[in-house]
Amino acid sequence: MTETTLIEIKNLTLGFTSRGGQERPILRDLSLNVAAGQTIGIVGESGSGKSTVALAMMGYLKPGLKVFSGHVVFDGHDMFEISEEARTRLRGGSIALIPQDAGQSLTPTMRVGDQIDEALRLHTRLNAEQRQSKMGEILNRVRLPSAQDIARRYPHELSGGQQQRVVIGMALGTGAKALLLDEPTTGLDVTTQAHILQFLRSLVSDTGVSMVYVSHDLGVIAQVADRIAVMYAGELVELGGARGLLASPAHPYTRALLASIPRLGAKVIPAALDGFHPIVGEDRQGCAFVARCPIAQERCRATVPAMVDVAHGQAKCFYADSDGMEKIEGTPVVSTRKDEVAVEADDLAISYHHRGIIDLLLGKEVPPDTVARVGFSVNKGETLGLVGESGCGKSTILKALSGLKAPKHGRMVIDGQEIPGRVAQRTLDVIKPLQMVFQNADSSLNPRRSVREILQAPLRLYFELSHQEMETRCEELIDAVRLPKTYLDRFPGQLSGGEKQRVAIARAFAAEPELVLCDEITSALDVSVQAAALLLLKQLQEMRGAAYVFVSHDLAVVRAISDQIAVLYQGRICESGPTEAVFRPPFHPYTEVLLGAILQPDPDAVPRLLADDVIDREPPSTGCPFQRRCSRRIDARCDEILPPPRHPETGHVIYCHLETDELPALNAVE
Amino acid sequence: MLRTILRRFGFAAFTIVFVSGVVFVSVEALPGDVCTAFFQRYAQGPRLERCIEEQGLKNPAIERYALWISGAFQGDLGTSLKKRRPISDLLAERFRNTVLLASAAAAIGIPLALVFGFWAGVRRDKPADLVVSTVAMLAMTIPEFVTASVLMFVFAISLNWFPAVTIVPPTASIADLLPNIILPVVVLAFVMTAHILRMTRASVIEVMTSDFIQMARLKGVPPRQLFWRHLAPSALIPAVNVIALTIAWLLGGVVIIEQVFNYPGVGNLMLQAIYDRDLPLVQAIALIFAMIYIVANLLADIAMVILDPRIRTAKETR
Amino acid sequence: MTIASVNVRPRSGSAVSGFWPVLRRMVSRPSGAIGLGLTLFNVVVAIAAPLLTSYDPATPNADTINLAPSFEHWMGTDSLGRDVYTRVIYGGQLAMMVTACAVAIAVTWGGLVGILLGVIGGRTDEIAMRFVDAMLSIPWLLFLLLMVSIIGGGAWIVVPILGFFYGISIIRISRAAALQVSARDFVTAARARGESLWAVVTREVFPNVADILLVEGAMQWSWMLLAFSSLSFLGFGAAPPTPDWGLMIASERSLLAIAPWSVLWPCFALSTLIVGINLTADALGKALGVDRAREKPT
């Protein structure tokens, strides 16, 4: 290493002690250096110990954890050896943590300015006046408008992005040499995320601060990191320069992880990793990845491999340098679309608002409908993808279809028959063909019911089956989602996230549905498991011929499995049509923004920022829903008149005041 | 903020109407009326008729309810059947005594509870916390009359420090009352401290595990400053609410403690009224106690709105 | 609707299930072991009382008035010459039975109404909760006293009153729990599937709030004992000559200076029972992972 080392982790093993007194390591023999001015990205699935590494860098352990061996040296201080006072001085002064949820990390009863001032008082020798001017300087540096105003506010009065900037500003103001960022953009919209990443990059080049960026998302890491550390089950499995590591990964896990990420460019379902992430703190002899590794040999089971040098850095694998691994290919998607219409929706409008007595007294007006003018038609065996950022109404549309939220007006037709709005008004014959799978399998399975009981619920409701028939059907279903029959006796708490989602899918298919509503069903899963769930959905569609309405914020996922796509903004359709047409120019200005903000695990694919990351809370009452953020806004027309439909090709509709040939045509994909 | 406060006022008004309704209707639901209930098997002849006349029982229930409520707001709570005096006069001479008892207990109990609650919460699961929590648990669960009896035995009978029961009349001067008040106040303060302490401790513990406390630690804030600037304000907000809620207990506890020590307060009067089957007096006291509680709650709600910036400024950002 | 990252977090308090594991977890802390021990001891003594004494708890004896503790009368005798030890071991029977019945009533009606409100939600829930809150703003003793002054006192008369009133606070708790459960997707899934309200309540929601009701019932039992013995003390619960701790304390109180044993022993016995049940409920809550400390005050 030619640069000066700022943080050095040497053979660190830490963990908790079990009730029986055994040491249960969470991090195993981990060594890692961070040079001054460098950004290192730590990537890993949930449970890999990536956040624990970041916290250990500032000498902090979550309650119950203990260092078993090894050292962490920050700027010449051994963080676990120095006194608590010395550690306290360093924390927040020289090394600062930027947590995932900045809003929760600011004290709610203190004004933002007071909190920054407190940090300055603790870690600098400035007097009150100097601190005041320093604060303005800081808030400007993190690009917060009107510093005076922001300083007087309470944390809850700032947006999520602003809160994060305040926390970062606080760290910079005290002269931090290193920032530890723990999933700072997770849970944010793609456009907001792209803005924050751009801000962080400029921060590094302006101030020369070191960053440790922890994330589960290689796409994000690729945008910010100079070097990447890949973690798996508490071990560092690969470490190297970002470009080299992403281009030619050496460890089988890194390869599989990269292959499992859906790419915008290709209409394939990416290859999934089989098996499961090991349980945190379990006993282990050989390589951490051995159970899921395609090239595992006998010695991988017996001995832990050492870090070996590869072209771009190091990898913890016996076969890191071998070319025995061919490139992992995804599964191409074949359309199973039939000519019969499965479901149709026409001019749907949905509103969550109603005026209470106090609203009337205070003279509040009812805001515009959450969803309006939404219509689509899905054929049997076809998949319609609904995409948009959070709050765009995509899940609300599913709620209307499933009868959980009655639309204000509009028609919903299944099998040529118009269906009532509320589930209570529907007969079981109407409900049966229309099943739903939820985003969070953790919460969609009753923890007090066994998998068998969960699958029996729809069977009992829709079919009159004998006990024996019921059992046979349960076995068929669990088999159809590729889970062993013994799982029928398990409870949801005994399943992993991906397994739970499979059970939820099995439950939906128990009703033999014609239409399955999928609400962000893969977004709570780790990437490596997501691919398997997508593949399962596609296979079930081939077998059963069901139609899907697939809601997601992830354009790459939607592209991989949809026949048709509708892009939503503020509960209104901006653009819709066959998948290929939507991903081909011309675009709606909003689609262009979304495509531009997508992050790929490729440092060269820098996102383009085409709109501010301002979040509209409510749709505008007149004109185009995108008017406030559109970079191609024409004039007052956009604010007042509904945009007309443009038809660049058959079936492809774009609602915009721009003529077809004026629409954005930049080739964002491929 | 205006909206929140309006809501709270609306709810307090609703509660007063509802509770007074319950108090009134539950008496109406009696077989017979307050007069027959009072005279029991002697309920006949001119005495009964005069009583019915005096209590205005010939009027329809709705009308009597309206009269009762409007009277109550003007300080006229009707006439006692037993003592044959205006209830407001009866209450007036005892109200001071109860207020003296309750406020002395609150003045001791609330600061004590906050100090020990914070102390125990910060030292969660350490010996200090275990001792404080155990004592609080005992104070809460052991009935007041048991605590009172034991204290009376120890301090009044064995040690002879204080008088065991009050023998001064309701109208005695405060100076005469003072020696009598010490034991009742101690019991009342003891149990009240326990209730508030437990909730304060729980709220401190919850705040201690929050992200912003961890963040402040990581920012390098020294412990003392961490406590006063980051922890205390957030932990205090729920405590304010509990203090108001404890008043519900305080009002119930007062009845028992006044009975144990024969203290001439409102609670004692209420029990006498029940023994005498003097229902108008019982109703009046129940109404007053409920009103005190509702008003205390309203004040606590408003205090919360003012103390908590999240509620205070919630609407301004929208 | 946003990207929810999966946080692996150890299950809070690592709750257990099944009778024996829960019991083992309960007695693993000293407070739980003490609580369970005190409770069981009191219950066993109350049941076995006739076997543990040769005196009658109710018959007065003019020859043995206010005797100090001795070999014949371990805890002395009271103002009517009855053996205090005998009365103390009999003294919990009535209170335990009465309050157990009242707890059963409270948990049943409070639990049912609370769960229904939580599941139905919306306007019905909002309006019903206004009334519940209003009811709860009547101080408990005041409410009980108002009722007994109208209906009259008596051990079994107060059962429905106690059951009704304590049921209201159970409504709050079970409704809050049901509301949380109802917000989870498996309930939404059951609704979207077209399950009846009853099926949603019994199959999906109830199994997830049963633990909370159990713990809450145990906790309410201790408060109910406190309330009942207070009523007995004031003369509205047990009637003489029934041996009942609250009543014994009230009737012997005037002789505290002369015969303190006839007051202090019932005081002690009553305290052990209430404290025991309270500790047991607390330990049960911790073992089942029901976090009572986080409950917001009503």
Side-chain angles (χ1 to χ4, degrees):
Chain A
M1 203 124 304
T2 50
E3 308 102 322
T4 41
T5 305
L6 185 65
I7 306 173
E8 186 180 16
I9 300 182
K10 270 187 294 198
N11 304 99
L12 183 68
T13 301
L14 62 82
F16 57 97
T17 312
S18 69
R19 273 170 195 257
Q22 286 142 305
E23 291 188 351
R24 300 273 178 210
I26 286 180
L27 296 182
R28 296 170 201 245
D29 194 26
L30 190 127
S31 300
L32 184 65
N33 290 333
V34 182
Q38 194 181 52
T39 299
I40 186 161
I42 303 181
V43 71
E45 292 174 80
S46 43
S48 62
K50 54 189 188 301
S51 299
T52 312
V53 176
L55 288 174
M57 288 179 181
M58 58 196 317
Y60 186 84
L61 296 174
K62 292 217 167 124
L65 296 185
K66 229 185 99 203
V67 174
F68 296 140
S69 62
H71 296 276
V72 175
V73 180
F74 168 74
D75 206 14
H77 307 274
D78 190 326
M79 292 304 278
F80 289 108
E81 298 293 322
I82 56 176
S83 68
E84 183 62 39
E85 287 106 79
R87 243 197 320 260
T88 306
R89 253 198 316 279
L90 288 171
R91 285 178 191 163
S94 305
I95 182 163
L97 176 76
I98 317 295
Q100 175 172 352
D101 189 346
Q104 294 292 316
S105 319
L106 290 166
T107 303
T109 49
M110 278 173 81
R111 290 176 199 276
V112 167
D114 292 341
Q115 301 196 40
I116 299 177
D117 187 60
E118 181 181 51
L120 292 176
R121 216 150 18 115
L122 287 167
H123 298 287
T124 64
R125 290 177 184 194
L126 304 176
N127 64 28
E129 212 169 297
Q130 289 168 315
R131 289 203 303 271
Q132 198 61 39
S133 65
K134 179 87 177 169
M135 190 181 322
E137 189 189 310
I138 291 169
L139 292 172
N140 280 333
R141 172 112 55 93
V142 294
R143 297 196 214 145
L144 281 168
S146 53
Q148 288 300 322
D149 179 46
I150 294 276
R152 264 200 310 275
R153 294 205 198 174
Y154 285 98
H156 71 272
E157 296 174 277
L158 305 181
S159 75
Q162 289 174 323
Q163 290 168 340
Q164 199 153 48
R165 281 158 202 246
V166 168
V167 176
I168 293 174
M170 204 157 14
L172 292 175
T174 58
K177 293 177 184 166
L179 298 182
L180 310 176
L181 300 111
D182 189 359
E183 301 262 13
T185 62
T186 305
L188 300 178
D189 276 322
V190 277
T191 47
T192 315
Q193 170 170 290
H195 275 272
I196 290 181
L197 293 176
Q198 192 209 33
F199 162 69
L200 289 175
R201 275 196 308 270
S202 64
L203 202 64
V204 172
S205 58
D206 291 355
T207 63
V209 71
S210 288
M211 290 205 298
V212 176
Y213 195 108
V214 176
S215 176
H216 68 285
D217 189 340
L218 263 176
V220 171
I221 296 270
Q223 297 307 314
V224 289
D226 305 315
R227 292 206 306 153
I228 296 179
V230 183
M231 302 252 328
Y232 187 80
E235 291 183 38
L236 182 64
V237 294
E238 186 163 357
L239 176 67
R243 206 167 294 268
L245 187 141
L246 291 171
S248 55
H251 196 281
Y253 173 63
T254 318
R255 294 187 188 206
L257 188 65
L258 272 166
S260 71
I261 300 173
R263 309 291 175 117
L264 200 54
K267 194 172 165 57
V268 292
I269 293 179
L273 262 81
D274 293 329
F276 311 109
H277 192 275
I279 296 158
V280 174
E282 68 170 14
D283 280 333
R284 184 190 303 162
Q285 293 199 326
C287 170
F289 189 57
V290 66
R292 301 169 82 178
C293 184
I295 56 163
Q297 302 295 319
E298 209 39 56
R299 72 162 164 163
C300 302
R301 266 172 256 282
T303 33
V304 181
M307 272 286 192
V308 294
D309 287 339
V310 294
H312 56 266
Q314 292 173 300
K316 202 173 190 178
C317 178
F318 291 122
Y319 306 101
D321 47 354
S322 73
D323 293 326
M325 293 173 281
E326 66 267 45
K327 197 163 164 43
I328 310 167
E329 297 290 340
T331 318
V333 177
V334 194
S335 176
T336 50
R337 182 176 192 267
K338 301 199 187 85
D339 278 340
E340 252 174 295
V341 174
V343 64
E344 247 185 300
D346 198 15
D347 195 25
L348 283 184
I350 310 166
S351 173
Y352 282 107
H353 305 285
H354 56 253
R355 275 170 90 164
I357 296 173
I358 294 178
D359 290 318
L360 268 173
L361 284 175
L362 296 179
K364 288 234 167 92
E365 281 184 27
V366 178
D369 295 343
T370 313
V371 168
R373 300 185 298 279
V374 165
F376 50 78
S377 146
V378 188
N379 282 12
K380 292 192 171 161
E382 186 184 35
T383 304
L384 167 70
L386 293 180
V387 271
E389 291 170 290
S390 59
C392 75
K394 50 196 194 298
S395 294
T396 306
I397 295 170
L398 293 194
K399 275 194 183 152
L401 285 171
S402 60
L404 293 167
K405 173 77 201 161
K408 230 165 96 180
H409 60 78
R411 258 161 35 100
M412 295 179 285
V413 181
I414 287 188
D415 271 344
Q417 199 190 342
E418 182 166 351
I419 57 173
R422 293 209 346 253
V423 70
Q425 299 160 332
R426 297 180 185 177
T427 60
L428 284 181
D429 295 339
V430 179
I431 299 172
K432 181 176 158 285
L434 213 157
Q435 295 291 315
M436 185 151 172
V437 183
F438 295 82
Q439 168 174 6
N440 197 339
D442 250 345
S443 112
S444 75
L445 303 180
N446 189 338
R448 294 301 170 105
R449 306 246 129 203
S450 69
V451 171
R452 176 179 285 107
E453 288 170 313
I454 287 168
L455 295 181
Q456 278 172 351
L459 295 175
R460 199 184 303 116
L461 198 63
Y462 303 128
F463 308 96
E464 284 178 13
L465 298 175
S466 71
H467 186 74
Q468 192 49 50
E469 288 168 321
M470 193 101 100
E471 187 58 28
T472 321
R473 290 288 293 278
C474 284
E475 288 178 7
E476 281 169 19
L477 284 166
I478 203 83
D479 199 44
V481 294
R482 313 262 183 293
L483 289 175
K485 288 191 180 56
T486 51
Y487 272 48
L488 284 174
D489 293 314
R490 293 203 183 181
F491 284 85
Q494 297 166 298
L495 308 180
S496 74
E499 288 170 334
K500 279 183 212 161
Q501 201 55 287
R502 280 163 191 263
V503 173
I505 292 171
R507 175 175 62 187
F509 275 93
E512 295 174 4
E514 299 189 12
L515 176 68
V516 180
L517 309 173
C518 305
D519 188 3
E520 296 267 14
I521 64 168
T522 60
S523 62
L525 303 175
D526 275 317
V527 239
S528 66
V529 186
Q530 161 176 296
L534 291 176
L535 191 62
L536 175 69
L537 273 185
K538 206 61 212 172
Q539 287 165 341
L540 283 170
Q541 189 172 45
E542 272 168 43
M543 277 159 51
R544 314 254 170 156
Y548 293 149
V549 175
F550 190 93
V551 159
S552 178
H553 67 278
D554 188 330
L555 280 170
V557 169
V558 169
R559 177 169 202 198
I561 79 158
S562 306
D563 300 291
Q564 272 194 83
I565 287 182
V567 181
L568 285 158
Y569 186 76
Q570 294 284 0
R572 278 84 177 143
I573 290 180
C574 297
E575 176 170 2
S576 69
T579 304
E580 291 319 307
V582 171
F583 278 91
R584 194 160 52 215
F587 303 110
H588 186 279
Y590 177 59
T591 315
E592 189 197 20
V593 169
L594 277 184
L595 285 169
I598 279 186
L599 301 176
Q600 300 270 26
D602 174 2
D604 297 320
V606 179
R608 290 175 300 119
L609 304 176
L610 299 168
D612 298 333
D613 58 340
V614 184
I615 293 157
D616 289 341
R617 284 187 202 275
E618 273 155 12
S621 47
T622 56
C624 173
F626 194 52
Q627 53 178 273
R628 289 179 222 151
R629 289 173 66 191
C630 188
S631 59
R632 295 169 195 271
R633 186 174 166 279
I634 309 167
D635 48 33
R637 222 176 338 158
C638 293
D639 302 346
E640 285 154 18
I641 307 165
L642 279 180
R646 309 286 182 196
H647 299 274
E649 51 192 298
T650 7
H652 187 192
V653 192
I654 295 174
Y655 293 91
C656 190
H657 284 292
L658 292 169
E659 297 290 342
T660 307
D661 52 1
E662 299 167 340
L663 284 165
L666 203 114
N667 205 350
V669 199
E670 260 91 40
Chain B
M1 173 158 156
L2 178 66
R3 187 192 163 97
T4 325
I5 290 181
L6 273 182
R7 266 196 123 95
R8 306 277 200 253
F9 266 100
F11 179 59
F14 164 78
T15 312
I16 288 178
V17 170
F18 177 76
V19 170
S20 63
V22 168
V23 169
F24 187 82
V25 167
S26 49
V27 170
E28 283 305 306
L30 265 181
D33 53 47
V34 293
C35 288
T36 51
F38 178 64
F39 291 116
Q40 298 274 306
R41 55 206 157 90
Y42 307 106
Q44 56 191 347
R47 263 204 313 194
L48 180 68
E49 270 163 41
R50 204 178 66 207
C51 170
I52 290 175
E53 188 65 37
E54 273 175 14
Q55 295 290 327
L57 292 182
K58 293 225 170 87
N59 302 326
I62 295 281
E63 206 171 294
R64 275 183 290 129
Y65 174 73
L67 273 175
W68 183 55
I69 286 294
S70 59
F73 276 101
Q74 291 156 23
D76 173 18
L77 289 156
T79 318
S80 158
L81 291 173
K82 172 86 178 176
K83 316 223 162 168
R84 313 196 45 76
R85 284 175 58 196
I87 291 172
S88 42
D89 289 2
L90 285 170
L91 281 175
E93 58 191 30
R94 284 167 176 260
F95 203 68
R96 179 202 64 173
N97 300 344
T98 298
V99 168
L100 185 68
L101 180 65
S103 51
I108 299 172
I110 293 172
L112 215 60
L114 292 180
V115 169
F116 278 104
F118 272 99
W119 194 57
V122 173
R123 281 170 184 69
R124 181 185 189 180
D125 290 340
K126 297 205 173 119
D129 172 36
L130 288 182
V131 170
V132 169
S133 298
T134 308
V135 171
M137 190 275 298
L138 291 175
M140 272 175 76
T141 46
I142 296 176
E144 301 90 325
F145 63 91
V146 169
T147 321
S149 300
V150 172
L151 288 184
M152 199 191 277
F153 177 70
V154 174
F155 292 103
I157 293 171
S158 303
L159 299 172
N160 210 1
W161 288 359
F162 314 106
V165 289
T166 316
I167 36 170
V168 295
T171 45
S173 69
I174 292 187
D176 286 341
L177 269 173
L178 271 184
N180 297 296
I181 213 174
I182 294 172
L183 273 184
V185 165
V186 168
V187 179
L188 208 52
F190 186 53
V191 190
M192 188 169 81
T193 306
H195 279 267
I196 301 177
L197 185 154
R198 263 176 86 101
M199 290 311 300
T200 311
R201 174 182 176 270
S203 113
V204 168
I205 286 175
E206 184 163 348
V207 176
M208 289 269 285
T209 55
S210 68
D211 285 356
F212 65 84
I213 292 295
Q214 181 187 328
M215 184 66 190
R217 280 213 179 100
L218 290 180
K219 199 166 112 183
V221 178
R224 183 176 291 266
Q225 197 169 331
L226 185 81
F227 178 85
W228 288 110
R229 297 195 65 183
H230 296 265
L231 189 126
S234 297
L236 204 59
I237 291 163
V240 170
N241 207 7
V242 187
I243 292 173
L245 285 164
T246 314
I247 291 177
W249 172 82
L250 198 67
L251 294 173
V254 154
V255 174
I256 291 177
I257 286 166
E258 288 185 355
Q259 168 77 357
V260 175
F261 293 98
N262 192 32
Y263 184 83
V266 181
N268 194 286
L269 182 67
M270 180 175 184
L271 282 173
Q272 271 180 30
I274 296 173
Y275 296 137
D276 296 339
R277 291 181 307 278
D278 190 348
L279 286 175
L281 185 52
V282 176
Q283 277 180 309
I285 298 177
L287 183 68
I288 290 213
F289 274 11
M291 297 260 263
I292 293 174
Y293 177 61
I294 292 163
V295 171
N297 243 322
L298 179 66
L299 291 179
D301 277 345
I302 293 173
M304 290 241 290
V305 172
I306 292 168
L307 276 179
D308 192 337
R310 281 163 295 189
I311 307 177
R312 188 170 66 221
T313 54
K315 283 287 142 191
E316 288 163 24
T317 49
R318 292 283 150 115
Chain C
M1 285 212 280
T2 49
I3 321 160
S5 74
V6 185
N7 285 316
V8 278
R9 190 176 289 175
R11 240 156 242 281
S12 65
S14 53
V16 291
S17 59
F19 181 77
W20 292 110
V22 169
L23 195 66
R24 212 169 300 132
R25 181 64 69 83
M26 280 172 72
V27 297
S28 71
R29 292 162 182 269
S31 65
I34 293 171
L36 210 59
L38 285 177
T39 309
L40 285 178
F41 179 77
N42 269 294
V43 170
V44 168
V45 164
I47 293 171
L51 306 175
L52 300 174
T53 178
S54 53
Y55 296 97
D56 183 84
T59 322
N61 183 347
D63 299 335
T64 56
I65 287 173
N66 290 335
L67 295 181
S70 65
F71 190 70
E72 287 91 65
H73 300 285
W74 300 347
M75 299 181 186
T77 57
D78 69 3
S79 59
L80 292 175
R82 294 168 298 197
D83 180 44
V84 173
Y85 164 70
T86 305
R87 286 178 67 76
V88 165
I89 61 174
Y90 273 98
Q93 279 185 351
L94 180 71
M96 277 189 244
M97 281 193 302
V98 164
T99 49
C101 292
V103 168
I105 294 174
V107 172
T108 312
W109 97 269
L112 190 68
V113 172
I115 294 176
L116 280 173
L117 286 178
V119 172
I120 295 169
R123 275 281 150 85
T124 322
D125 170 54
E126 214 170 282
I127 292 167
M129 285 318 285
R130 296 284 136 212
F131 283 99
V132 167
D133 283 345
M135 278 306 280
L136 286 173
S137 66
I138 309 177
W140 62 273
L141 189 69
L142 231 53
F143 180 85
L144 295 179
L145 288 179
L146 186 67
M147 287 294 140
V148 295
S149 66
I150 293 162
I151 306 173
W156 293 100
I157 295 176
V158 300
V159 167
I161 303 178
L162 284 172
F164 170 75
F165 190 69
Y166 281 79
I168 296 172
S169 56
I170 293 191
I171 291 182
R172 265 202 88 91
I173 286 151
S174 59
R175 177 244 180 204
L179 208 61
Q180 258 182 23
V181 174
S182 302
R184 302 184 56 186
D185 289 338
F186 63 84
V187 178
T188 318
R191 281 194 180 135
R193 196 159 67 217
E195 299 271 13
S196 66
L197 175 66
W198 189 243
V200 171
V201 166
T202 53
R203 293 221 188 96
E204 310 291 341
V205 179
F206 177 74
N208 288 287
V209 299
D211 283 356
I212 294 169
L213 280 181
L214 187 68
V215 173
E216 203 48 44
M219 203 41 104
Q220 293 289 358
W221 195 19
S222 75
W223 300 135
M224 206 98 86
L225 270 163
L226 196 148
F228 179 76
S229 53
S230 298
L231 282 179
S232 278
F233 175 80
L234 295 177
F236 306 113
T242 320
D244 177 86
W245 295 326
L247 185 62
M248 288 159 77
I249 298 167
S251 54
E252 302 296 313
R253 209 163 49 88
S254 52
L255 299 170
L256 191 60
I258 312 163
W261 48 84
S262 52
V263 175
L264 296 183
W265 280 112
C267 278
F268 177 72
L270 176 60
S271 306
T272 59
L273 179 62
I274 300 184
V275 169
I277 294 179
N278 201 284
L279 286 177
T280 308
D282 212 49
L284 186 65
K286 284 191 177 121
L288 290 172
V290 178
D291 198 353
R292 285 185 48 94
R294 275 174 174 266
E295 271 164 32
K296 292 276 174 285
T298 46

